[in-house]
Amino acid sequence: MTKPDKRVAVLSPIAWRTPPRQYGAWETVASNITEGLVARGWDVTLFASRDSVTRARLHAVVDKGYEEDSAVDPKVAEYLHISEAFERAAEFDLIHSHYDFMALTYTRLVKTPVLTTIHGFSSAKIMPVYQKYRDGYFVSISDSDRAAGLNYLATVYNGIDLSLYPLQEAGGDDLIFLGRIHPDKGVHLAIEVARLSGLRLIIAGIIQDEAYFREQVKPHLDDQNILYIGPAGVPGKNELFARARALLHLNTIPERFGLVLVEANAAGVPVIAMDLGSCREVIKDGQTGFLVDNVTEAVRALGRISEIDRRACRSRVRQYFSIDTMVEGYERVYSTIFDLEAKRRP
Amino acid sequence: MTKPDKRVAVLSPIAWRTPPRQYGAWETVASNITEGLVARGWDVTLFASRDSVTRARLHAVVDKGYEEDSAVDPKVAEYLHISEAFERAAEFDLIHSHYDFMALTYTRLVKTPVLTTIHGFSSAKIMPVYQKYRDGYFVSISDSDRAAGLNYLATVYNGIDLSLYPLQEAGGDDLIFLGRIHPDKGVHLAIEVARLSGLRLIIAGIIQDEAYFREQVKPHLDDQNILYIGPAGVPGKNELFARARALLHLNTIPERFGLVLVEANAAGVPVIAMDLGSCREVIKDGQTGFLVDNVTEAVRALGRISEIDRRACRSRVRQYFSIDTMVEGYERVYSTIFDLEAKRRP
């Protein structure tokens, strides 16, 4: 496989810009893959919103992410965006889709092979689409986030740009929460840990569930011990990492991957994570943080946080969760697909 | 063109069953076209919900209309349903789509020509899709409901099965409203006409705008002069037609076609309609009803309702808005498409 001979289209979501300004894990990963492939000599066309930032060739049919542009109907934008990539399928040797179940419905209408990275199953109601197209090519982002019966070629862990998150050698005394304000993310459990441990908790993230925020988060905010600071981009995250003793990630449903765990670890911040879903794959218990089953265990783990070597956290990220590692993983998958396709069409 | 040599796929919406049990104008028309084509010897495959009723070959991937099945995600159902038809495109000489802008995004991925009947532009936000695919084949359902720049082959008026709506020779004394309870349909204006004229008004239809119903309809209901009876299927409509002096259709935005106007006329019921959009094409002023510009004119028109010949109303429907007339219109359009395609691919 000579890389420059192969042309890859990356189909990014368009909820947000690629990469997103703040929140937007799927767009972040699609961006990291795109830029990683370009850095390694691949010919890449990125299908994303027009305001996206990339070193690849950008192809856009919508100006901005539909979450950032009230003039756009999300459904209209999605249909236009996805179909555009498939209408140009003949220009590519591979379409690498990050566009959930919707893009699958176009895959049988083109000859170009399509690889779908499944960033998560948002609802049981979308499963009929995956079941119909189960013979396609799929990558899971953790071993735990897999659906039965799909043709998975590999698990490829999400990778981040470590240079964005420099090591915070000392850290600080605060607990931090980073993520969507949603019951799935266990913000209420993080608050409980903070109160029981007597440590300050700083909460950052977009409010996705207004009622949850109003009823289970807001009443605890006191401008002193429990603070909410809104969403945080990269600079904001680094400020938080600099003052963090640990990141609390007490998710209440199985985590699909957990990008923020990796970002925290990259900065040397130990992670206390609920042992649900992918957390066990991302966090090495006792080495880059602690896996717990409940609030009591989380409080206990805080007492052992000094055992964690901050440099070891970053080293593990570099080894398993860097852009290079991720892109190497995808290169192996691409190679498998090209071999399979070559056999299929003699 | 020998009909049995041509295979047509009709892509119906799946909000409701085809034909719908009660409300569902698009599904009604798709059904009438399908059954009309079958009756005239065409080989037709209907893509619709599995509980649909047809003499054509039925192909279904969702059990019920998503408005009738809370277990289904509408977006998932739509993507599965539409793509299924396009994946089978090679089996057909023509795909006749009633599926709005979404289906257009698959049309360039298949060789089979696609005709789209535009049942209405629901929002300015969907126009970018029509503009992108403007070179496709389009039919408008009235001359008034057209967007600039699209490749329209014809206007084909919607047709109904006249046998469903027998002539009510005598009629009655009541005013009737039939349609969605929504400000666009001017239910509040119909109520005003009823109060000013001192006639009873019976309102039937699904409540699409709850706040509108609560604020502008419900306060006027008195179980005697202004009544709301919920949605009405064919039998319910006929009961209303039997007691109707006139149907009030005081739409506040341009009507796209107005199927209920035709149904009422078929039963011999005169229609008082706002002179907006297609009403002028459907109602012959002074012959099958009256076109008005406001409530005052509507009340005045009621005084002239005895001038309308109920048999003439039905005759006009038979001539212009029957299934046969509609299907003949579509046969001419299909023929044009087959000729154009034959020239395109020698």
Side-chain angles (χ1 to χ4, degrees), chain B residues 270-302:
Chain B
V271 172
I272 296 175
M274 202 67 92
D275 189 9
L276 271 175
S278 59
C279 293
R280 171 165 289 272
E281 295 172 65
V282 174
I283 298 301
K284 185 87 175 162
D285 193 37
Q287 286 185 25
T288 65
F290 295 100
L291 296 168
V292 300
D293 286 328
N294 51 52
V295 164
T296 311
E297 287 185 22
V299 174
R300 200 176 304 142
L302 275 174

Side-chain angles (χ1 to χ4, degrees), chain A residues 22-243:
Chain A
Q22 292 181 325
Y23 173 74
W26 297 23
E27 287 86 351
T28 299
V29 175
S31 172
N32 287 349
I33 292 170
T34 301
E35 305 314 310
L37 287 168
V38 170
R40 295 165 73 93
W42 287 79
D43 179 338
V44 185
T45 300
L46 173 66
F47 289 81
S49 62
R50 203 180 311 279
D51 59 353
S52 293
V53 180
T54 180
R55 287 174 59 212
R57 200 177 300 108
L58 177 66
H59 191 93
V61 291
V62 298
D63 290 339
K64 292 195 259 183
Y66 57 75
E67 296 284 4
E68 306 177 82
D69 185 0
S70 62
V72 163
D73 179 299
K75 188 171 163 182
V76 169
E78 281 184 348
Y79 271 101
L80 278 175
H81 170 68
I82 297 170
S83 60
E84 181 77 14
F86 285 90
E87 287 167 0
R88 292 171 175 271
E91 300 171 21
F92 307 108
D93 297 291
L94 179 71
I95 295 175
H96 185 170
S97 170
H98 300 269
Y99 222 112
D100 211 359
F101 69 87
M102 294 82 98
L104 289 174
T105 68
Y106 293 83
T107 54
R108 292 195 182 158
L109 303 175
V110 301
K111 287 182 184 145
T112 306
V114 179
L115 169 66
T116 300
T117 294
I118 303 176
H119 290 277
F121 300 98
S122 56
S123 153
K125 291 181 177 179
I126 71 173
M127 298 315 294
V129 188
Y130 284 101
Q131 286 309 323
K132 174 173 176 185
Y133 296 94
R134 62 185 174 277
D135 294 334
Y137 298 126
F138 296 99
V139 155
S140 51
I141 58 170
S142 66
D143 290 337
S144 79
D145 197 40
R146 284 198 165 195
L150 305 195
N151 181 33
Y152 288 107
L153 299 183
T155 288
V156 179
Y157 292 129
N158 291 333
I160 65 163
D161 178 354
L162 274 85
S163 73
L164 295 178
Y165 302 103
L167 181 67
Q168 310 289 346
E169 302 247 10
D173 290 327
D174 297 335
L175 302 177
I176 59 173
F177 170 93
L178 265 168
R180 295 177 285 124
I181 312 302
H182 189 282
D184 290 352
K185 295 296 185 183
V187 193
H188 58 295
L189 300 181
I191 290 171
E192 214 179 320
V193 170
R195 300 179 74 181
L196 288 169
S197 65
L199 293 171
R200 176 185 293 139
L201 172 68
I202 307 173
I203 300 164
I206 62 166
I207 297 172
Q208 199 175 54
D209 186 325
E210 284 282 354
Y212 175 67
F213 177 76
R214 200 170 52 241
E215 289 159 24
Q216 301 210 44
V217 178
K218 207 173 172 194
H220 302 289
L221 303 181
D222 58 8
D223 268 343
Q224 190 160 2
N225 292 311
I226 313 281
L227 291 88
Y228 171 65
I229 60 166
V234 172
K237 286 180 186 175
N238 280 318
E239 281 172 36
L240 287 173
F241 294 151
R243 57 193 292 180

Side-chain angles (χ1 to χ4, degrees), chain B residues 35-311:
Chain B
E35 304 314 310
L37 287 169
V38 169
R40 295 165 72 92
W42 288 79
D43 178 338
V44 185
T45 301
L46 173 66
F47 289 81
S49 62
R50 202 180 312 279
D51 60 353
S52 293
V53 180
T54 181
R55 287 175 57 211
R57 200 176 299 107
L58 177 67
H59 191 93
V61 291
V62 299
D63 290 339
K64 292 195 259 182
Y66 57 75
E67 295 285 2
E68 307 177 79
D69 186 0
S70 61
V72 162
D73 180 300
K75 189 171 162 182
V76 169
E78 281 184 347
Y79 271 101
L80 279 175
H81 170 68
I82 297 170
S83 60
E84 180 78 13
F86 285 91
E87 286 168 0
R88 293 172 175 271
E91 301 171 20
F92 307 108
D93 297 291
L94 179 71
I95 295 175
H96 185 170
S97 170
H98 300 268
Y99 222 113
D100 210 0
F101 70 87
M102 294 81 96
L104 289 175
T105 68
Y106 294 83
T107 55
R108 292 194 183 160
L109 304 174
V110 301
K111 288 183 183 142
T112 307
V114 180
L115 169 66
T116 300
T117 293
I118 304 176
H119 289 277
F121 301 99
S122 57
S123 152
K125 292 181 176 178
I126 72 173
M127 297 316 293
V129 188
Y130 284 101
Q131 287 307 323
K132 175 173 175 185
Y133 297 94
R134 62 184 174 276
D135 294 334
Y137 297 127
F138 296 99
V139 156
S140 50
I141 57 170
S142 66
D143 290 337
S144 80
D145 196 42
R146 285 197 166 196
L150 305 195
N151 181 34
Y152 288 106
L153 298 184
T155 287
V156 179
Y157 291 129
N158 291 333
I160 65 163
D161 178 354
L162 273 85
S163 73
L164 294 179
Y165 302 102
L167 180 68
Q168 310 289 344
E169 303 246 10
D173 291 327
D174 296 335
L175 303 176
I176 59 173
F177 170 93
L178 266 168
R180 296 177 283 123
I181 311 300
H182 188 282
D184 289 353
K185 294 296 184 183
V187 194
H188 59 295
L189 301 180
I191 291 171
E192 215 179 320
V193 170
R195 301 180 72 183
L196 288 169
S197 65
L199 293 171
R200 176 185 293 140
L201 172 67
I202 307 174
I203 300 164
I206 61 166
I207 297 172
Q208 198 174 55
D209 186 325
E210 285 280 356
Y212 175 67
F213 177 76
R214 200 169 53 241
E215 289 158 24
Q216 301 210 44
V217 178
K218 207 173 172 193
H220 301 289
L221 303 181
D222 57 9
D223 268 341
Q224 188 161 3
N225 291 310
I226 314 281
L227 291 88
Y228 172 66
I229 61 166
V234 172
K237 286 180 185 175
N238 281 319
E239 282 171 35
L240 288 174
F241 293 151
R243 59 192 290 179
R245 179 176 296 188
L247 177 97
L248 295 180
H249 191 83
L250 303 172
N251 46 305
T252 58
I253 63 163
E255 189 57 53
R256 299 159 181 171
F257 176 75
L259 207 55
V260 72
L261 280 53
V262 171
E263 291 167 350
N265 266 183
V269 177
V271 172
I272 296 175
M274 202 67 92
D275 189 9
L276 271 175
S278 59
C279 293
R280 171 165 289 272
E281 295 172 65
V282 174
I283 298 301
K284 185 87 175 162
D285 193 37
Q287 286 185 25
T288 65
F290 295 100
L291 296 168
V292 300
D293 286 328
N294 51 52
V295 164
T296 311
E297 287 185 22
V299 174
R300 200 176 304 142
L302 275 174
R304 295 179 54 198
I305 215 79
S306 61
E307 297 172 22
I308 305 297
D309 175 356
R310 290 183 161 245
R311 288 173 176 274

